[in-house]
Every structure is written in structure tokens, then in C-alpha cells.
Amino acid sequence: MGEPQFRIDAPESVDARTGSPAPLITVRDVWKRFGTLEVLRGLTLDVDPGEVVVVIGPSGSGKTTLLRILNCLETVNAGTVTIKGIPVAAPGADGRPQRPNDRTIRTVRLEVGMVFQRFNLFPHLTVLENITMAPVHVRRLDPATGRARATELLQRMGLVEKAAAYPHQLSGGQQQRVAIARALAMQPEAMLFDEVTSALDPELVGEVLTVMRQLAEDGMTMVIVTHEMQFAREVADRVIVMDQGRIIEVGDPQTIFRAPTHPRTVEFLHRILMEGREADGGRLAKP
Amino acid sequence: MIDRWLEWGPPLLRGTALTIFLTFGSFTFALVLGLMLALARLNRRRWYLCSPAQALVEFVRGTPLLVQLFYLYFVLPFVGITLNPIVTGILGLGVNYGAYMSEVYRAGIEAIDRSQWEAAHALAMPTTLIMRMIVLPQAFRIIIPPMGNYLISLFKDTAIVATISIEEVTFTARLLASQTFQYLAIFTAVLVIYFVISYPASRGVAWLERRLRIGA
């Protein structure tokens, strides 16, 4: 009567390495615990330059925690994470989570931009100031160049007329596009998107996804956590399915969405597609 | 009657002017000191900043302002430090209010949501820059009303420096009253002077509070 018999629900985490010589992001057997709650249980993953990886899975499966680790907002209990070869997360000699030094963290964050579910714009600054703040004060860009770059980004986001507005004067979709522009203004190598459309009214989701689709076409490296399955299908180079802190399935979107192999993937996709049909009248079902 | 007021008026007004000067002098001092104390106390990773600031705040808050002023005024000369009374008054009031106001700053800073820190961190901003450009500007909005109330309260508390012979309005009134024995008239006038200044000021703070709430 060994323990493994009770772990039918929790098989070994699937290894999501790409085997390419120089992945931009590597995650090796990462474990993360909050108190007694195991959030990540042995995650292994590579992200290649220019790759769009979409992470799906039920809530509580550890998707957000994974992204937060990639941005050094969380430490790890075991395993290692490197970004452009720089080790950013590894437990200390005593096995306890250890923060890399502030310099390393900042170097990594210059390479990896992050967009949050709730936008997190700076409410006391205008749209333009939100975007130029970090490039001017962190990248030491001269203010005129910073403003020019911000204006260009706003143009791409279709928000150039909102440059002088404050965040509270914008709709959620507009705020989220500003947040994307703010992250892009730092010219990161990769972008992390943490359920960026989940806090939006349904009719505002599209404008944000359009911007992200454009980014993907431009060749940006992206790790996207989302519940928008149709979008995942369109933009993903690889889809990663997470459940209970593990990667249960990896594959190209066609395989995952047409012929998922893991029973929990099947169950999850079925549930979310049904919800989608009910919630927005079949938008997900459209090609 | 009128010639009496003509006689008392100018010294009382001069005293009032000094009261106002003391108020703004010690308030400015307290604003700067309070911010420094709050930042030091929030810096828990640097105990050599955090602990002394903590100790100073607790000590100042745990002892009477009057005794603190006496200490600065009467005890320091024994160790060779003699300050002019007005400097002593500004220092005493400033340190006392600075300690209380550091709590207001701290509450204001802690009221800024963690997500603001995270968003700024994700943009590779260093902590001091985040504090200066993101957190403090938002915290200032929150703390303006309580700071306004401290300003009014400080204005009234300046009366206490009459005890170290600073010729502000209360001291002047006591002097005039003891010369003329017109306690009723003179001290009524002094109460009116304080009220005429502090009441509009407190209405102003209330107005500011409403405005800031709408703007948020």
C-alpha cells in the first residue's frame, strides 16, 4: 500500500523543454509553497526567443505564480529559473527560498515586461507619464525621446488622443492597452501577460487581444496566461496545460484543442468552452 | 474704552504674528522630520535607521510637550547649549509634531496598494525611485487632510511656548492683563483671535478633504 497509489490525480509534471540551444527562459523542476499549500510541484519549461507560449488550466493551478516567479515577484522553494542565462531563482544552501540581489533582479526585469490582470497603472500620472516614467528614470532615456517613443506606442495601441488623460478617465480596455504600452516602452525581450482580459467587460476584451495578436506577429516572445481559448488557439506556438501545480500536457494548439490526451485537459476544455458559449453567445466558437 | 484697545491692539497683533510664524516654522520642521522618521521606520531591513527612529517617536509621544520644552529651554544650557527662545520653541514643537506626523506619513504610505509596488518593480524601478515617484505622491493626497488638522492643532499648541517667555499672543496677553487687571477683556480677545484663525482653517481642511475624495 505505497503512497503513489493515491496519486492518480497528480502524475509527474510533463517536461516542457524545447531542446533548443539558447532558450530565453528556462525553468527547471521548480517547486513553490505558500505555507502548507503546494502551488507549483516540479515545473520544467523552456521559452525560446520569439516563441508565444500560452498557459491554460483551471484557477488555482499555479499559472499566475509561474509568471510572478519569472518576474522575480516570488521566490522558489526548489529548482532554478534562468532568464537569458542569468539565474534568478534558486533556493539557498539551507533550502529556504532566497532572493537574488536587487541588481540581478532589476537586470532581469529590464528583459521581461509584465502586464497584470488589474492593469495597475499609476493613478496620479497621465497616460504619457505612465509610459515614460520607467524609460526615463530607469533606462535613462532623455525625456524627449521617451515621449516620442511613448507617443509611437500609443499610436500602435490606437490611444494617441488619450496621452494627457488620467487612468481613471479610461475604460478598462484602454487602461490595459496603456499598461501594455508601458511595459513595451522598456523594450523588453519578453512579455508576460497574467490574465490580462479577465477583469474586462466582455465587449472590451477584443481590443486588448488585437494588440497582443499584433505583438505576437511582430515576433515578441510572450508567455500568456489566459482563459480566452480561441485567442490561445490563434496565437500560441505552444500551449501548456497546468493542473494542481504541474504541467499535465504540452503541445501545439491544434493538438491540444482538437485532440487533448490528458483526461483533465479534456474536462477543463469542455467546461470552459461550455461556459464561453453561454457567456458570450458563441464568440469562442467562431473561427 | 477705545483708547485702551488702541493701546492693547498693537502688542496683541504683534503677538499673533509671532504665533503664526511659530506655527509655520515648527510645522515645516515637523513635515520634514516626520517624513524622515516615517521612511526610517519603514526601512525594516536597515535596523540602524529603523530602531533609533522608532525609539525617538515612542519617547516623544510618551512624554508631555510642556516638559520637553522646559528640557530644551532650562536643561540644555547646563550642558553648554543655549538656544534663543524662538528657536527652542520651533525645535520643541517641531520634534513633538514630527513624531506624531510620522505616524500619519506611515499610514499614508502603507495605504498604497501592493499592486502599485509590483507594477513599478516589474518596470525595473529601484525601491527609492518607486517611493519618490509612485508611492509618496499618492500618499500625499491621502494625508493632506490629517496634516491640515495637525497644522490647526499646532497653531493652538503654540500657546504653550508662552511658558518659555516667547512673546507670542498668549504671553503678550498675560503681560497686558497683569499690568491692567483687565483679564476678562484681554483673554476674551485672545480666544477670539485664536478662533477667528482656526475656524476658517478647519473649514478649509474639510473642504479640501471633500475635494480630494471626489478626485480620487
Side-chain angles (χ1 to χ4, degrees):
Chain A
M1 299 299 282
E3 269 186 26
Q5 295 190 2
F6 297 100
R7 297 177 56 178
I8 304 159
D9 242 10
E12 281 290 286
S13 189
V14 172
D15 185 332
R17 269 181 281 197
T18 57
S20 88
L24 188 58
I25 298 170
T26 71
V27 179
R28 290 287 172 275
D29 196 28
V30 160
W31 291 69
K32 175 67 181 175
R33 215 171 27 242
F34 290 118
T36 55
L37 185 70
E38 298 268 16
V39 185
L40 294 181
R41 303 192 286 182
L43 220 69
T44 294
L45 166 71
D46 282 348
V47 180
D48 286 340
E51 193 183 17
V52 177
V53 174
V54 172
V55 185
I56 62 173
S59 40
S61 57
K63 309 181 297 285
T64 292
T65 306
L66 169 64
L67 283 197
R68 291 173 59 84
I69 286 172
L70 296 183
N71 204 255
C72 301
L73 291 171
E74 302 287 353
T75 54
V76 301
N77 294 97
T80 57
V81 175
T82 67
I83 286 168
K84 271 189 111 177
I86 308 164
V88 295
D94 55 355
R96 288 170 51 130
Q98 199 183 28
R99 260 171 67 90
N101 66 45
D102 290 353
R103 232 190 143 70
T104 310
I105 291 180
R106 292 225 312 282
T107 312
V108 165
R109 284 172 175 160
L110 286 171
E111 308 294 343
V112 184
M114 181 150 181
V115 185
F116 300 85
Q117 183 174 352
R118 305 218 62 97
F119 335 132
N120 301 355
L121 293 179
F122 306 130
H124 62 299
L125 301 177
T126 64
V127 164
L128 197 75
E129 289 165 345
N130 261 278
I131 300 174
T132 56
M133 169 67 70
V136 170
H137 288 98
V138 180
R139 286 253 192 226
R140 301 274 164 220
L141 209 65
D142 83 274
T145 314
R147 279 194 298 275
R149 189 189 289 175
T151 309
E152 193 189 306
L153 281 164
L154 283 174
Q155 233 143 22
R156 271 167 65 189
M157 301 293 151
L159 286 171
V160 76
E161 76 284 2
K162 298 289 184 191
Y166 283 88
H168 71 94
Q169 299 168 312
L170 304 183
S171 73
Q174 292 170 331
Q175 289 192 51
Q176 195 58 293
R177 283 183 283 155
V178 173
I180 293 172
R182 178 175 71 174
L184 286 174
M186 291 298 277
Q187 302 188 316
E189 298 256 336
M191 290 276 283
L192 311 173
F193 293 87
D194 184 15
E195 299 198 28
V196 296
T197 57
S198 299
L200 298 177
D201 292 335
E203 75 270 21
L204 302 177
V205 169
E207 63 194 54
V208 173
L209 295 184
T210 305
V211 164
M212 290 168 68
R213 209 172 273 128
Q214 187 60 49
L215 263 182
E217 277 166 25
D218 293 348
M220 174 61 79
T221 310
M222 297 160 84
V223 182
I224 304 171
V225 170
T226 187
H227 288 293
E228 296 290 330
M229 295 303 147
Q230 181 58 39
F231 172 72
R233 196 173 205 160
E234 284 169 36
V235 302
D237 294 316
R238 252 189 323 156
V239 176
I240 286 175
V241 188
M242 284 182 66
D243 185 47
Q244 299 179 7
R246 293 182 154 87
I247 295 175
I248 56 171
E249 199 161 353
V250 188
D252 63 276
Q254 299 313 320
T255 317
I256 298 281
F257 289 108
R258 291 229 180 96
T261 53
H262 197 284
R264 292 197 62 99
T265 311
V266 177
E267 186 197 323
F268 169 72
L269 286 176
H270 182 72
R271 197 173 64 237
I272 205 146
L273 287 173
M274 292 316 286
E275 277 171 13
R277 285 217 179 84
E278 281 160 26
D280 53 30
R283 180 163 54 86
L284 289 174
K286 278 185 223 150
Chain B
M1 190 68 201
I2 287 182
D3 49 330
R4 265 200 213 153
W5 282 111
L6 284 177
E7 198 180 309
W8 299 338
L12 283 178
L13 287 181
R14 271 197 303 278
T16 307
L18 185 55
T19 291
I20 291 171
F21 174 77
L22 284 166
T23 305
F24 283 107
S26 44
F27 189 67
T28 308
F29 185 69
L31 275 178
V32 175
L33 179 70
L35 178 58
M36 289 184 346
L37 287 172
L39 290 177
R41 291 180 67 191
L42 287 166
N43 211 330
R44 288 191 195 90
R45 277 205 274 174
R46 303 215 173 98
W47 61 269
Y48 51 88
L49 292 177
C50 180
S51 308
Q54 182 89 23
L56 179 66
V57 169
E58 293 304 339
F59 187 75
V60 169
R61 297 205 308 163
T63 50
L65 173 57
L66 183 63
V67 181
Q68 290 165 10
L69 280 173
F70 282 171
Y71 203 87
L72 291 176
Y73 190 65
F74 295 117
V75 180
L76 285 189
F78 282 106
V79 292
I81 304 170
T82 310
L83 301 170
N84 107 17
I86 294 182
V87 172
T88 308
I90 288 179
L91 192 67
L93 287 167
V95 169
N96 189 274
Y97 270 75
Y100 282 94
M101 279 153 63
S102 78
E103 290 287 296
V104 178
Y105 277 117
R106 200 165 65 121
I109 290 167
E110 285 176 344
I112 303 306
D113 198 84
R114 208 166 58 102
S115 64
Q116 288 285 306
W117 283 96
E118 288 187 346
H121 276 311
L123 290 165
M125 290 171 72
T127 304
T128 48
L129 184 67
I130 300 175
M131 188 56 98
R132 192 159 56 85
M133 305 296 279
I134 307 298
V135 175
L136 281 180
Q138 293 184 62
F140 281 137
R141 271 178 86 91
I142 303 174
I143 65 178
I144 283 172
M147 286 302 185
N149 288 327
Y150 270 110
L151 175 61
I152 294 164
S153 165
L154 175 58
F155 166 68
K156 292 176 291 173
D157 273 356
T158 53
I160 210 168
V161 301
T163 56
I164 56 169
S165 70
I166 297 179
E167 295 177 31
E168 43 69 74
V169 66
T170 304
F171 185 89
T172 309
R174 232 175 40 168
L175 207 65
L176 288 174
S178 65
Q179 286 162 2
T180 61
F181 295 103
Q182 298 293 321
Y183 284 95
L184 176 70
I186 289 172
F187 276 103
T188 306
V190 170
L191 282 183
V192 169
I193 289 173
Y194 277 112
F195 187 72
V196 160
I197 295 173
S198 69
Y199 183 71
S202 75
R203 297 316 305 157
V205 170
W207 174 80
L208 208 63
E209 197 171 357
R210 271 197 310 279
R211 253 194 76 106
L212 287 174
R213 201 179 305 140
I214 296 163

